[in-house]
Amino acid sequence: MSEPVLSVKDLSVVFHLRRGDFTAVNKISFDIMPGEVLGVVGESGAGKSMTGTAIMGLVDRPGEVSSTSITLNGDRIDGLDEESLRKIRGRRIGMVMQDPLTSLNPLFTVGEQLIETIRRHLPLNEKQARARAIELLADAGIPKPEDRIDAYPHQFSGGMRQRVVISLALAAEPELVIADEPTSALDVSVQAQIIKVLKRLCAERGVAVMLITHDMGVIAEAADRMIVMNKGEIVETGTVGDIIHRPKEPYTIKLIDAIPSIKEQNPRYAAAVARGDEGDAAVTDAPLVRAENLSMVFDLSPSLFSRLTGRNRKIVNAVNDVSFQIERGKTYGLVGESGSGKSTCARMMVGLLRPTDGNVLLEGTDIWNDKDAAAKRRSKIQMIFQDPYASLNPRWRVGDIIAEPMRQLGIARNNKEITEKVAYLLDRVRLDPVVMRKYPHEFSGGQRQRIAIARALSSEPEFIICDEPTSALDVSVQAQVLELMSQLQDEFGLTYLLISHNLAVVRQMADAVGVLHNGVLVESGPVEEIFSAPKADYTRMLLDAVPDIAKVA
């Protein structure tokens, strides 16, 4: 029988803090065999990422790592000095971080970063390294890699940047890949590509993969075995099929029950069917929001000379003649791959990006051309972003963050009224009002997203654009946030534009859905109609690519 690529015995990570010791990982043991994908799942704070960080030797003080042994193909790697660990990282162990922006240097092209990594670890010249870099980008699903290799990280979408990071991790043909949420920023079709890349590496090269994720669907598609972590400990381990279909621990059962299914009907539609009035479901008020022939063209020419003369001019049609409408109190889902134009549409509709052509109408008024449009869009349109930590000012207390729109728009008359409204909003998003004195870093990801929702509500908006509001959250917290958004919609009569690459979330939340591909709206209609009987080949491809735990034997 072959030896494990990675063997971890009694790994613990303890942080020595002023208020006492905090145990992030508590005496866990596991092996990963050649060609095996081991899935590691659990909620935020379970110790998943800390385990991977400790194996790489990246835990800094006041953290302390202890173990009986950590071996990589029989070689002890725990207790090595920093210089020895640096030789292992990248060459023998590849790491895919959750946030691609922290892994890429903004001052260098992605090609320069890939070529540097390849040449540091492999005996290739500049030309050979560049050819391998292009091959890696193609394997990760980046279109026209021979052109994109000379682009900078900021010129890629979030999903594209994650593909570059995966290419970097695989550059030196490592023995072990630690993938920390490698698909959380990716749409379903690219997610499927990345899973295939990881599984092919395992089959062809015997690479072992430690796949850390909160997405049980990804585990179902990619992993051979899985371990479930909670509060720094392994609570259950076994084959993927055994744990998904025959979970033993209450914690595992709770995680699986929280997963939204692509096959479940929209609850509102199901309720209408139960009442026998599904035929009236399409009868609504006049639309609150209307996008009319929206187009957005970006000029990515390398210089002003190129733009003026037309030589080497590079034009990108990010959005091309897109039209849809959203009825008051309803949710419109917008889906599509990275680079399809979803976020560009959102920025035009919230007032951050002026369309090249077309109109955005709110209650019949063009938010870009009406003289009172600026004030109207600030008060009536708000946005909830993908990363709540990046969208909240880290230097402000939560109370000030939520109160800012009230002060700017003159909604409240004095500080007492502002404090009362902030307390009311915190209560509405299921947070204790006493937290208004705390800072964003003192909260979990799910709590920060609730704060972002409260801030969006503080201007008393009618229309909220939700750009991937749950993609960074684990499944149980995601379920809580989605339930909260649905309750708030009913309570305040809110209208949502929901942008997400998670099609199960869109089916659960949306009344209607539009499918974007290369900036073109290829299909639009009631969510049950689109998901049950899609007309466009592209829509069928997206639906077929959705990871489904039901497929696991």
Short mmCIF file of all heavy atoms in Angstrom, two decimals, residues 496-543:
data_model
loop_
_atom_site.label_atom_id
_atom_site.label_comp_id
_atom_site.label_asym_id
_atom_site.label_seq_id
_atom_site.Cartn_x
_atom_site.Cartn_y
_atom_site.Cartn_z
N TYR A 496 -35.43 43.92 -5.18
CA TYR A 496 -34.03 43.50 -5.25
C TYR A 496 -33.61 43.21 -6.70
O TYR A 496 -34.38 42.64 -7.48
CB TYR A 496 -33.80 42.20 -4.47
CG TYR A 496 -33.91 42.28 -2.97
CD1 TYR A 496 -34.52 41.25 -2.25
CD2 TYR A 496 -33.38 43.34 -2.25
CE1 TYR A 496 -34.61 41.28 -0.86
CE2 TYR A 496 -33.45 43.40 -0.87
CZ TYR A 496 -34.08 42.36 -0.18
OH TYR A 496 -34.15 42.40 1.19
N LEU A 497 -32.36 43.58 -7.01
CA LEU A 497 -31.64 43.00 -8.14
C LEU A 497 -30.57 42.11 -7.52
O LEU A 497 -29.66 42.59 -6.85
CB LEU A 497 -30.99 44.07 -9.02
CG LEU A 497 -30.06 43.55 -10.12
CD1 LEU A 497 -30.82 42.70 -11.13
CD2 LEU A 497 -29.34 44.70 -10.84
N LEU A 498 -30.70 40.80 -7.70
CA LEU A 498 -29.81 39.83 -7.07
C LEU A 498 -28.84 39.28 -8.10
O LEU A 498 -29.23 38.60 -9.04
CB LEU A 498 -30.62 38.69 -6.45
CG LEU A 498 -29.82 37.53 -5.85
CD1 LEU A 498 -28.95 38.00 -4.69
CD2 LEU A 498 -30.75 36.40 -5.40
N ILE A 499 -27.55 39.60 -7.91
CA ILE A 499 -26.49 39.11 -8.80
C ILE A 499 -25.76 37.99 -8.07
O ILE A 499 -25.28 38.18 -6.96
CB ILE A 499 -25.52 40.23 -9.17
CG1 ILE A 499 -26.25 41.29 -10.01
CG2 ILE A 499 -24.32 39.70 -9.93
CD1 ILE A 499 -25.45 42.54 -10.23
N SER A 500 -25.71 36.83 -8.69
CA SER A 500 -25.08 35.70 -8.01
C SER A 500 -24.64 34.66 -9.03
O SER A 500 -25.27 34.48 -10.07
CB SER A 500 -26.05 35.07 -7.01
OG SER A 500 -25.46 33.96 -6.35
N HIS A 501 -23.52 33.97 -8.71
CA HIS A 501 -23.14 32.82 -9.53
C HIS A 501 -23.69 31.53 -8.94
O HIS A 501 -23.53 30.45 -9.52
CB HIS A 501 -21.61 32.73 -9.66
CG HIS A 501 -20.89 32.46 -8.37
ND1 HIS A 501 -20.24 33.45 -7.67
CD2 HIS A 501 -20.73 31.34 -7.65
CE1 HIS A 501 -19.70 32.94 -6.58
NE2 HIS A 501 -19.99 31.66 -6.54
N ASN A 502 -24.35 31.63 -7.77
CA ASN A 502 -24.96 30.46 -7.13
C ASN A 502 -26.41 30.35 -7.62
O ASN A 502 -27.30 31.05 -7.15
CB ASN A 502 -24.90 30.61 -5.61
CG ASN A 502 -25.33 29.33 -4.90
OD1 ASN A 502 -26.18 28.59 -5.38
ND2 ASN A 502 -24.74 29.08 -3.74
N LEU A 503 -26.64 29.47 -8.57
CA LEU A 503 -27.96 29.37 -9.19
C LEU A 503 -29.00 28.85 -8.22
O LEU A 503 -30.19 29.16 -8.36
CB LEU A 503 -27.89 28.49 -10.43
CG LEU A 503 -26.97 28.98 -11.56
CD1 LEU A 503 -27.14 28.11 -12.79
CD2 LEU A 503 -27.25 30.43 -11.92
N ALA A 504 -28.59 28.06 -7.23
CA ALA A 504 -29.55 27.58 -6.23
C ALA A 504 -30.07 28.75 -5.40
O ALA A 504 -31.26 28.80 -5.06
CB ALA A 504 -28.89 26.53 -5.34
N VAL A 505 -29.20 29.70 -5.07
CA VAL A 505 -29.62 30.89 -4.33
C VAL A 505 -30.59 31.72 -5.16
O VAL A 505 -31.61 32.21 -4.67
CB VAL A 505 -28.39 31.74 -3.93
CG1 VAL A 505 -28.80 33.12 -3.44
CG2 VAL A 505 -27.60 31.02 -2.85
N VAL A 506 -30.29 31.87 -6.46
CA VAL A 506 -31.17 32.65 -7.34
C VAL A 506 -32.55 32.00 -7.43
O VAL A 506 -33.58 32.67 -7.36
CB VAL A 506 -30.54 32.80 -8.74
CG1 VAL A 506 -31.52 33.41 -9.72
CG2 VAL A 506 -29.28 33.66 -8.65
N ARG A 507 -32.58 30.68 -7.58
CA ARG A 507 -33.88 30.01 -7.68
C ARG A 507 -34.68 30.17 -6.38
O ARG A 507 -35.89 30.30 -6.41
CB ARG A 507 -33.70 28.52 -7.98
CG ARG A 507 -35.05 27.83 -8.15
CD ARG A 507 -34.96 26.51 -8.88
NE ARG A 507 -36.29 26.07 -9.31
CZ ARG A 507 -36.53 24.97 -9.99
NH1 ARG A 507 -35.52 24.19 -10.37
NH2 ARG A 507 -37.75 24.64 -10.34
N GLN A 508 -33.99 30.16 -5.25
CA GLN A 508 -34.67 30.29 -3.97
C GLN A 508 -35.22 31.69 -3.76
O GLN A 508 -36.30 31.86 -3.19
CB GLN A 508 -33.70 29.95 -2.83
CG GLN A 508 -34.29 30.09 -1.44
CD GLN A 508 -33.28 29.74 -0.36
OE1 GLN A 508 -32.40 28.91 -0.57
NE2 GLN A 508 -33.40 30.36 0.79
N MET A 509 -34.50 32.73 -4.24
CA MET A 509 -34.84 34.11 -3.91
C MET A 509 -35.60 34.86 -4.99
O MET A 509 -36.41 35.74 -4.69
CB MET A 509 -33.55 34.89 -3.60
CG MET A 509 -32.86 34.49 -2.31
SD MET A 509 -33.77 35.02 -0.86
CE MET A 509 -33.62 36.81 -1.00
N ALA A 510 -35.35 34.56 -6.27
CA ALA A 510 -35.81 35.43 -7.36
C ALA A 510 -37.20 35.05 -7.86
O ALA A 510 -37.61 33.88 -7.83
CB ALA A 510 -34.82 35.40 -8.51
N ASP A 511 -37.91 36.06 -8.33
CA ASP A 511 -39.19 35.85 -9.02
C ASP A 511 -38.97 35.71 -10.52
O ASP A 511 -39.68 34.96 -11.19
CB ASP A 511 -40.13 37.04 -8.74
CG ASP A 511 -40.39 37.23 -7.26
OD1 ASP A 511 -41.15 36.44 -6.70
OD2 ASP A 511 -39.81 38.16 -6.67
N ALA A 512 -38.01 36.47 -11.04
CA ALA A 512 -37.65 36.39 -12.46
C ALA A 512 -36.13 36.38 -12.56
O ALA A 512 -35.43 36.76 -11.62
CB ALA A 512 -38.23 37.58 -13.23
N VAL A 513 -35.62 35.93 -13.70
CA VAL A 513 -34.17 35.80 -13.84
C VAL A 513 -33.76 36.15 -15.26
O VAL A 513 -34.50 35.89 -16.22
CB VAL A 513 -33.70 34.37 -13.46
CG1 VAL A 513 -34.30 33.33 -14.40
CG2 VAL A 513 -32.18 34.26 -13.46
N GLY A 514 -32.59 36.78 -15.39
CA GLY A 514 -31.99 37.06 -16.69
C GLY A 514 -30.63 36.39 -16.77
O GLY A 514 -29.89 36.36 -15.78
N VAL A 515 -30.29 35.86 -17.92
CA VAL A 515 -29.03 35.15 -18.13
C VAL A 515 -28.16 35.97 -19.07
O VAL A 515 -28.53 36.20 -20.23
CB VAL A 515 -29.26 33.75 -18.70
CG1 VAL A 515 -27.94 33.00 -18.84
CG2 VAL A 515 -30.23 32.96 -17.83
N LEU A 516 -26.99 36.40 -18.58
CA LEU A 516 -26.06 37.21 -19.37
C LEU A 516 -24.91 36.35 -19.88
O LEU A 516 -24.37 35.51 -19.15
CB LEU A 516 -25.48 38.35 -18.51
CG LEU A 516 -26.26 39.66 -18.41
CD1 LEU A 516 -25.58 40.57 -17.39
CD2 LEU A 516 -26.34 40.37 -19.75
N HIS A 517 -24.53 36.59 -21.14
CA HIS A 517 -23.39 35.89 -21.72
C HIS A 517 -22.67 36.86 -22.66
O HIS A 517 -23.26 37.36 -23.62
CB HIS A 517 -23.86 34.66 -22.50
CG HIS A 517 -22.74 33.87 -23.12
ND1 HIS A 517 -21.59 33.54 -22.43
CD2 HIS A 517 -22.60 33.34 -24.37
CE1 HIS A 517 -20.80 32.86 -23.21
NE2 HIS A 517 -21.38 32.72 -24.40
N ASN A 518 -21.41 37.16 -22.33
CA ASN A 518 -20.61 38.10 -23.13
C ASN A 518 -21.33 39.43 -23.32
O ASN A 518 -21.31 40.02 -24.40
CB ASN A 518 -20.26 37.50 -24.49
CG ASN A 518 -19.31 36.33 -24.37
OD1 ASN A 518 -18.54 36.23 -23.41
ND2 ASN A 518 -19.35 35.43 -25.33
N GLY A 519 -21.98 39.91 -22.25
CA GLY A 519 -22.64 41.20 -22.27
C GLY A 519 -24.01 41.22 -22.91
O GLY A 519 -24.64 42.28 -22.98
N VAL A 520 -24.50 40.07 -23.36
CA VAL A 520 -25.80 39.98 -24.03
C VAL A 520 -26.77 39.19 -23.16
O VAL A 520 -26.41 38.14 -22.61
CB VAL A 520 -25.67 39.31 -25.41
CG1 VAL A 520 -27.04 39.15 -26.07
CG2 VAL A 520 -24.74 40.12 -26.31
N LEU A 521 -28.00 39.70 -23.02
CA LEU A 521 -29.04 38.99 -22.28
C LEU A 521 -29.62 37.91 -23.19
O LEU A 521 -30.42 38.20 -24.08
CB LEU A 521 -30.12 39.97 -21.82
CG LEU A 521 -31.08 39.48 -20.73
CD1 LEU A 521 -30.35 39.26 -19.41
CD2 LEU A 521 -32.22 40.48 -20.53
N VAL A 522 -29.22 36.66 -22.96
CA VAL A 522 -29.62 35.59 -23.87
C VAL A 522 -30.97 35.00 -23.52
O VAL A 522 -31.61 34.33 -24.35
CB VAL A 522 -28.56 34.46 -23.90
CG1 VAL A 522 -27.24 34.98 -24.42
CG2 VAL A 522 -28.39 33.82 -22.53
N GLU A 523 -31.42 35.23 -22.27
CA GLU A 523 -32.70 34.67 -21.86
C GLU A 523 -33.19 35.41 -20.62
O GLU A 523 -32.41 35.79 -19.75
CB GLU A 523 -32.54 33.18 -21.54
CG GLU A 523 -33.84 32.44 -21.41
CD GLU A 523 -33.67 30.92 -21.53
OE1 GLU A 523 -32.52 30.45 -21.66
OE2 GLU A 523 -34.69 30.23 -21.50
N SER A 524 -34.50 35.64 -20.54
CA SER A 524 -35.09 36.34 -19.40
C SER A 524 -36.53 35.90 -19.24
O SER A 524 -37.25 35.69 -20.24
CB SER A 524 -35.01 37.86 -19.61
OG SER A 524 -35.54 38.56 -18.49
N GLY A 525 -36.95 35.73 -17.98
CA GLY A 525 -38.33 35.34 -17.75
C GLY A 525 -38.55 34.88 -16.33
O GLY A 525 -37.65 34.98 -15.48
N PRO A 526 -39.74 34.36 -15.99
CA PRO A 526 -40.02 33.85 -14.65
C PRO A 526 -39.03 32.78 -14.25
O PRO A 526 -38.63 31.94 -15.08
CB PRO A 526 -41.44 33.28 -14.78
CG PRO A 526 -42.04 34.01 -15.94
CD PRO A 526 -40.91 34.25 -16.89
N VAL A 527 -38.61 32.79 -12.99
CA VAL A 527 -37.53 31.91 -12.56
C VAL A 527 -37.88 30.43 -12.73
O VAL A 527 -37.04 29.63 -13.16
CB VAL A 527 -37.12 32.23 -11.09
CG1 VAL A 527 -38.21 31.84 -10.11
CG2 VAL A 527 -35.81 31.56 -10.74
N GLU A 528 -39.12 30.05 -12.44
CA GLU A 528 -39.49 28.64 -12.57
C GLU A 528 -39.47 28.20 -14.03
O GLU A 528 -39.10 27.07 -14.35
CB GLU A 528 -40.88 28.41 -11.97
CG GLU A 528 -40.92 28.54 -10.45
CD GLU A 528 -39.94 27.61 -9.75
OE1 GLU A 528 -39.77 26.46 -10.21
OE2 GLU A 528 -39.34 28.02 -8.75
N GLU A 529 -39.86 29.09 -14.92
CA GLU A 529 -39.86 28.78 -16.35
C GLU A 529 -38.45 28.60 -16.88
O GLU A 529 -38.15 27.65 -17.61
CB GLU A 529 -40.58 29.91 -17.10
CG GLU A 529 -40.68 29.71 -18.60
CD GLU A 529 -41.37 30.87 -19.27
OE1 GLU A 529 -42.50 31.19 -18.85
OE2 GLU A 529 -40.78 31.47 -20.19
N ILE A 530 -37.55 29.51 -16.48
CA ILE A 530 -36.16 29.45 -16.97
C ILE A 530 -35.45 28.22 -16.42
O ILE A 530 -34.72 27.52 -17.14
CB ILE A 530 -35.39 30.73 -16.57
CG1 ILE A 530 -36.01 31.97 -17.20
CG2 ILE A 530 -33.91 30.61 -16.96
CD1 ILE A 530 -35.91 32.04 -18.69
N PHE A 531 -35.65 27.91 -15.13
CA PHE A 531 -34.94 26.80 -14.52
C PHE A 531 -35.52 25.45 -14.92
O PHE A 531 -34.80 24.46 -14.97
CB PHE A 531 -34.95 26.94 -12.99
CG PHE A 531 -33.88 27.83 -12.45
CD1 PHE A 531 -33.89 29.19 -12.72
CD2 PHE A 531 -32.83 27.33 -11.70
CE1 PHE A 531 -32.90 30.03 -12.24
CE2 PHE A 531 -31.83 28.16 -11.21
CZ PHE A 531 -31.86 29.51 -11.48
N SER A 532 -36.81 25.41 -15.19
CA SER A 532 -37.46 24.14 -15.54
C SER A 532 -37.35 23.82 -17.03
O SER A 532 -37.20 22.66 -17.41
CB SER A 532 -38.93 24.16 -15.13
OG SER A 532 -39.08 24.38 -13.75
N ALA A 533 -37.43 24.86 -17.87
CA ALA A 533 -37.39 24.64 -19.32
C ALA A 533 -36.59 25.73 -20.00
O ALA A 533 -37.14 26.57 -20.74
CB ALA A 533 -38.82 24.59 -19.87
N PRO A 534 -35.26 25.76 -19.80
CA PRO A 534 -34.44 26.80 -20.43
C PRO A 534 -34.44 26.66 -21.94
O PRO A 534 -34.42 25.55 -22.47
CB PRO A 534 -33.04 26.55 -19.84
CG PRO A 534 -33.05 25.11 -19.45
CD PRO A 534 -34.45 24.81 -19.02
N LYS A 535 -34.47 27.79 -22.63
CA LYS A 535 -34.49 27.78 -24.10
C LYS A 535 -33.09 27.93 -24.69
O LYS A 535 -32.78 27.37 -25.73
CB LYS A 535 -35.38 28.91 -24.62
CG LYS A 535 -36.85 28.76 -24.24
CD LYS A 535 -37.67 29.91 -24.83
CE LYS A 535 -39.16 29.74 -24.53
NZ LYS A 535 -39.45 29.86 -23.09
N ALA A 536 -32.22 28.70 -24.03
CA ALA A 536 -30.88 28.97 -24.58
C ALA A 536 -29.91 27.85 -24.19
O ALA A 536 -29.94 27.34 -23.07
CB ALA A 536 -30.38 30.31 -24.06
N ASP A 537 -29.04 27.48 -25.12
CA ASP A 537 -28.02 26.46 -24.84
C ASP A 537 -27.12 26.89 -23.69
O ASP A 537 -26.71 26.06 -22.88
CB ASP A 537 -27.18 26.21 -26.10
CG ASP A 537 -27.97 25.53 -27.20
OD1 ASP A 537 -29.00 24.90 -26.89
OD2 ASP A 537 -27.56 25.64 -28.38
N TYR A 538 -26.80 28.18 -23.64
CA TYR A 538 -25.92 28.68 -22.59
C TYR A 538 -26.56 28.49 -21.21
O TYR A 538 -25.88 28.10 -20.26
CB TYR A 538 -25.62 30.16 -22.84
CG TYR A 538 -24.73 30.79 -21.79
CD1 TYR A 538 -23.38 30.47 -21.72
CD2 TYR A 538 -25.24 31.68 -20.85
CE1 TYR A 538 -22.56 31.03 -20.77
CE2 TYR A 538 -24.43 32.25 -19.89
CZ TYR A 538 -23.08 31.93 -19.86
OH TYR A 538 -22.28 32.48 -18.90
N THR A 539 -27.87 28.74 -21.10
CA THR A 539 -28.56 28.55 -19.82
C THR A 539 -28.53 27.09 -19.42
O THR A 539 -28.28 26.76 -18.24
CB THR A 539 -30.03 29.03 -19.93
OG1 THR A 539 -30.06 30.35 -20.44
CG2 THR A 539 -30.70 28.99 -18.57
N ARG A 540 -28.75 26.20 -20.37
CA ARG A 540 -28.70 24.77 -20.06
C ARG A 540 -27.31 24.36 -19.59
O ARG A 540 -27.17 23.54 -18.67
CB ARG A 540 -29.11 23.94 -21.29
CG ARG A 540 -30.61 23.96 -21.55
CD ARG A 540 -31.00 22.90 -22.57
NE ARG A 540 -30.57 23.28 -23.91
CZ ARG A 540 -31.31 24.01 -24.74
NH1 ARG A 540 -32.50 24.43 -24.38
NH2 ARG A 540 -30.86 24.31 -25.95
N MET A 541 -26.27 24.94 -20.21
CA MET A 541 -24.91 24.63 -19.79
C MET A 541 -24.67 25.07 -18.35
O MET A 541 -24.07 24.33 -17.55
CB MET A 541 -23.92 25.32 -20.74
CG MET A 541 -22.45 25.03 -20.45
SD MET A 541 -21.71 26.10 -19.17
CE MET A 541 -21.71 27.68 -20.03
N LEU A 542 -25.13 26.27 -17.99
CA LEU A 542 -24.97 26.75 -16.62
C LEU A 542 -25.66 25.84 -15.62
O LEU A 542 -25.11 25.50 -14.57
CB LEU A 542 -25.53 28.18 -16.49
CG LEU A 542 -24.74 29.34 -17.09
CD1 LEU A 542 -25.47 30.65 -16.82
CD2 LEU A 542 -23.32 29.41 -16.52
N LEU A 543 -26.89 25.45 -15.94
CA LEU A 543 -27.65 24.59 -15.02
C LEU A 543 -27.00 23.22 -14.88
O LEU A 543 -26.96 22.65 -13.78
CB LEU A 543 -29.09 24.46 -15.52
CG LEU A 543 -29.93 25.74 -15.46
CD1 LEU A 543 -31.26 25.53 -16.16
CD2 LEU A 543 -30.16 26.18 -14.01
#
